[in-house]
């Protein structure tokens, strides 16, 4: 089978790594990919938001399966584009339809969906420029901290958590009146604050059946002890001790089943991943957000634990027969540490030569923002540069292996958090 992965990050490298292991894979292409995905297949320089270019490539290279990594092409309707084209409609594309992708594309839509299907989430209201006064009134009924969210996609930056009412009122105006996040904040959600520990839960669904993939914990802030600016994610671990059988049963009964039933009830075509970002509040799960793709860097700890053939899983996803395949998961713990360019998530240099990757023997090295220069050196090409994942019998060992490997990889402006997983180490 010829397979095309859309995307260029650590998530896509981890997906490519698993797909390349499958006996079913003949040729694997990654568009646009990075210096690491070159070890799994062939990189192709097409913009995954230009659907006609994707189509041309798919037809010219007899692609049988397309796995969509990031949300933008999904929210842009790539799955509908395939479905409505007689030459593409039989190709197994993994991802939700445009309507399904609204679960991530519009926070207001996602909240209305949760409320319709009684899925536990924070209390909220949505406001636009025309009813700022009501928004301010609603803020005054809440206790601090205050949570403001831009409705649309804002590259992970559209959520503000503010300690004072004064600040919250000011930011609400900034978002609605001065378009702080552009079009994404033409509507703003004000939410009740959930106090607890976050967990990322991943579901693969064919629209009827589902498999719950290994859960993970992501470390979002740039600084140790979860301080400083939000990033795409600085590391992840899987499994997560507090997500025990009892807790995951609540997640399945209260969130996963009603979500899949809700999609079916709304006649939404959904053959892909659902990423449920949730908060464990005193042992009870509440949805913070849905994403319609895998998480990054969660994929880098989740996918290495999947023992089933992922291409087979995807075939069943597209065929609507996920109930006919077993999901096998390694019991081992995976710990991933993200190495970033100093300065990230603000401005940072690109083009530093990366050395020492070949000395890593005990870990998997997934590239995030890397490229090759004209001398064929691997260079930094993004904020998040390389993700090192290790598997071991305990979290402690997995972390120790990853941190040893991180020391072997060098470039001029390297930075990483030294405390990934420490908060959940069990004694
Ligand atoms: P989101 O983009 O929706 O994932 O939000 C970004 C981050 O803000 C989340 O990962 C949480 O840490 C935090 N967050 C979002 N909504 C809430 C909430 N209602 N209560 C507490 N924290 C929240
Ligand atoms: N790691 C969080 C995300 O992928 O959105």
């Amino acid at each position: 089978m010829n397979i095309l992965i859309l995307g260029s990050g650590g998530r896509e490298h981890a997906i490519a790594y698993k797909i390349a292991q499958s006996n079913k894979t003949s040729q694997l292409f990654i568009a646009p990919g990075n210096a690491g995905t070159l070890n799994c297949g062939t990189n192709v320089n097409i913009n995954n938001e230009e659907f006609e270019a994707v189509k041309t490539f798919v037809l010219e290279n007899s692609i049988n399966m397309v796995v969509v990594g990031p949300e933008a092409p999904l929210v842009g309707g790539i799955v509908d584009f395939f479905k409505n084209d007689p030459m593409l409609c039989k190709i197994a594309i993994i991802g939700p339809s445009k309507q399904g992708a609204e679960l991530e594309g519009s926070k207001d839509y996602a909240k209305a969906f949760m409320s319709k299907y009684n899925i536990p989430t924070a209390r909220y209201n949505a406001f636009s420029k025309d009813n700022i006064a009501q928004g301010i009134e609603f803020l005054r009924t809440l206790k601090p901290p205050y949570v403001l969210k831009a409705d649309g996609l804002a590259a992970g930056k559209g959520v503000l958590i503010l300690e004072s009412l004064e600040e919250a009122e000011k930011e609400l105006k900034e978002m609605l009146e001065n378009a702080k996040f552009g079009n994404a904040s033409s509507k703003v959600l004000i939410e009740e604050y959930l106090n607890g520990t976050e967990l990322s839960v991943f579901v693969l669904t064919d629209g009827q059946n589902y498999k719950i993939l290994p859960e993970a914990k992501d470390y979002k802030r740039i600084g140790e002890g979860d301080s400083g600016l939000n990033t795409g994610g600085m590391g992840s671990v899987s499994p997560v001790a507090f997500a025990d059988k009892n807790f995951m049963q609540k997640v399945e009964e209260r969130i996963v089943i009603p979500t899949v039933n809700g999609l079916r009830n709304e006649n939404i075509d959904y053959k892909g991943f659902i990423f449920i970002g949730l908060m464990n509040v005193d042992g009870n799960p509440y949805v913070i957000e849905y994403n319609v793709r895998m998480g990054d860097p969660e994929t880098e700890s989740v996918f290495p634990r999947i023992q089933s053939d992922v291409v087979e899983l995807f075939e069943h996803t597209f065929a609507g027969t996920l109930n006919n395949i077993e999901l096998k998961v390694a019991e081992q713990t995976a710990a991933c540490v993200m190495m970033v360019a100093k300065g990230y998530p603000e401005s940072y240099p690109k083009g530093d030569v990366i050395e020492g990757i070949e000395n890593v023997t005990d870990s998997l090295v997934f590239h995030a923002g890397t490229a090759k220069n004209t001398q064929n050196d691997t260079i930094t090409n993004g904020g998040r540069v390389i993700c090192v994942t290790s598997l071991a019998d305990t979290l402690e060992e997995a972390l120790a292996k990853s941190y040893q490997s991180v020391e072997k990889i060098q470039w001029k402006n390297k930075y990483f958090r030294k405390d990934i997983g420490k908060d959940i180490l069990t004694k």
Side-chain angles (χ1 to χ4, degrees):
M1 192 181 277
N2 294 332
I3 304 176
L4 171 67
I5 301 173
L6 301 183
S8 66
R11 167 182 52 211
E12 287 75 18
H13 189 183
I15 295 173
Y17 161 76
K18 290 306 287 190
I19 288 181
Q21 285 177 348
S22 169
N23 291 331
K24 297 199 159 217
T25 305
S26 322
Q27 282 191 287
L28 174 60
F29 299 94
I30 308 96
N34 59 39
T37 57
L38 286 171
N39 301 325
C40 310
T42 308
N43 287 349
V44 283
N45 192 16
I46 43 180
N47 177 344
N48 53 44
E49 289 177 62
E50 284 172 19
F51 300 164
E52 286 295 341
V54 175
K55 173 178 173 178
T56 305
F57 182 84
V58 161
L59 294 177
E60 280 176 0
N61 293 277
S62 308
I63 299 292
N64 311 100
M65 178 182 281
V66 178
V67 181
V68 187
E71 64 279 13
L74 295 169
V75 174
I78 193 164
V79 171
D80 309 68
F81 177 85
F82 269 63
K83 205 176 150 193
N84 297 329
D85 186 312
M87 296 210 285
L88 300 177
C89 62
K90 298 239 159 53
I91 294 166
I93 183 161
I94 303 304
S97 61
K98 190 174 165 75
Q99 202 196 341
E102 279 299 279
L103 284 183
E104 177 165 358
S106 164
K107 291 188 191 290
D108 193 23
Y109 177 82
K111 292 296 266 191
F113 178 92
M114 287 183 248
S115 143
K116 182 165 175 188
Y117 294 101
N118 290 318
I119 296 165
T121 187
R123 201 158 61 91
Y124 84 109
N125 264 307
F127 301 93
S128 66
K129 216 171 174 174
D130 307 325
N131 58 358
I132 292 188
Q134 281 97 313
I136 288 176
E137 258 171 56
F138 182 64
L139 272 176
R140 290 177 181 166
T141 67
L142 299 174
K143 285 192 296 241
Y146 302 92
V147 183
L148 303 184
K149 297 188 175 184
D151 176 55
L153 291 183
K157 297 200 171 82
V159 175
L160 300 178
I161 299 185
L162 304 153
E163 292 303 326
S164 80
L165 184 61
E166 211 181 338
E167 263 179 298
E169 291 182 8
K170 185 174 144 255
E171 290 292 350
L172 180 68
K173 287 185 191 150
E174 280 292 311
M175 285 165 93
L176 289 174
E177 280 173 355
N178 299 335
K180 177 164 181 154
F181 299 108
N183 229 349
S185 66
S186 61
K187 203 192 275 178
V188 172
L189 276 68
I190 301 178
E191 252 183 45
E192 174 187 49
Y193 181 79
L194 297 171
N195 198 0
T197 312
E198 284 185 66
L199 182 72
S200 301
V201 171
F202 300 97
V203 177
L204 181 63
T205 184
D206 59 16
Q208 305 281 330
N209 311 288
Y210 62 85
K211 298 282 177 203
I212 301 183
L213 305 178
E215 77 285 352
K217 187 168 193 296
D218 172 21
Y219 291 79
K220 286 211 172 85
R221 302 294 191 91
I222 189 71
E224 276 152 33
D226 271 327
S227 59
L229 293 174
N230 245 327
T231 70
M234 297 294 291
S236 68
V237 302
S238 173
V240 180
F242 75 75
D244 57 14
K245 217 170 156 194
N246 179 31
F247 184 76
M248 289 308 287
Q249 198 172 337
K250 290 182 191 169
V251 172
E252 182 164 12
E253 284 168 7
R254 298 178 192 175
I255 298 170
V256 176
I257 294 174
T259 298
V260 175
N261 286 346
L263 290 169
R264 201 168 45 217
N265 196 52
E266 301 287 318
N267 278 319
I268 292 175
D269 184 25
Y270 203 118
K271 296 173 191 296
F273 298 104
I274 312 173
F275 163 2
I276 302 164
L278 59 81
M279 193 74 89
N280 173 357
V281 183
D282 300 326
N284 292 308
Y286 288 82
V287 178
I288 297 175
E289 62 165 353
Y290 287 116
N291 294 303
V292 298
R293 51 173 172 82
M294 285 298 297
D296 193 350
E298 289 96 327
T299 309
E300 292 93 307
S301 56
V302 168
F303 264 53
R305 292 188 61 218
I306 297 179
Q307 290 174 322
S308 309
D309 181 327
V310 295
V311 175
E312 247 177 79
L313 279 173
F314 295 154
E315 281 182 306
H316 282 281
T317 302
F318 191 70
T321 53
L322 260 183
N323 51 327
N324 292 342
I325 181 171
E326 196 194 343
L327 172 71
K328 290 200 204 90
V329 172
E331 297 217 336
Q332 281 183 309
T333 294
C336 112
V337 176
M338 185 64 81
M339 303 170 68
V340 307
K342 219 174 267 171
Y344 172 78
E346 296 181 288
S347 62
Y348 52 83
K350 282 188 186 177
D352 289 348
V353 175
I354 305 169
E355 285 173 329
I357 296 176
E358 66 285 359
N359 300 330
V360 175
T361 47
D362 279 352
S363 308
L364 298 165
V365 177
F366 295 122
H367 293 224
T370 66
K372 290 279 188 187
N373 66 11
T374 45
Q375 288 94 48
N376 207 32
D377 299 315
T378 300
I379 56 171
T380 66
N381 190 39
R384 293 193 296 172
V385 177
I386 278 184
C387 176
V388 173
T389 299
S390 309
L391 287 159
D393 289 339
T394 64
L395 176 58
E396 204 164 11
E397 283 172 73
L399 286 166
K401 273 166 95 174
S402 283
Y403 279 114
Q404 274 162 18
S405 300
V406 159
E407 291 304 334
K408 295 181 179 166
I409 302 174
Q410 300 299 338
W411 70 87
K412 205 162 104 210
N413 296 289
K414 137 182 165 186
Y415 169 79
F416 59 94
R417 266 179 68 168
K418 298 193 176 64
D419 65 341
I420 302 301
K422 273 200 182 145
D423 57 327
I424 53 168
L425 274 179
T426 42
K427 270 117 227 151

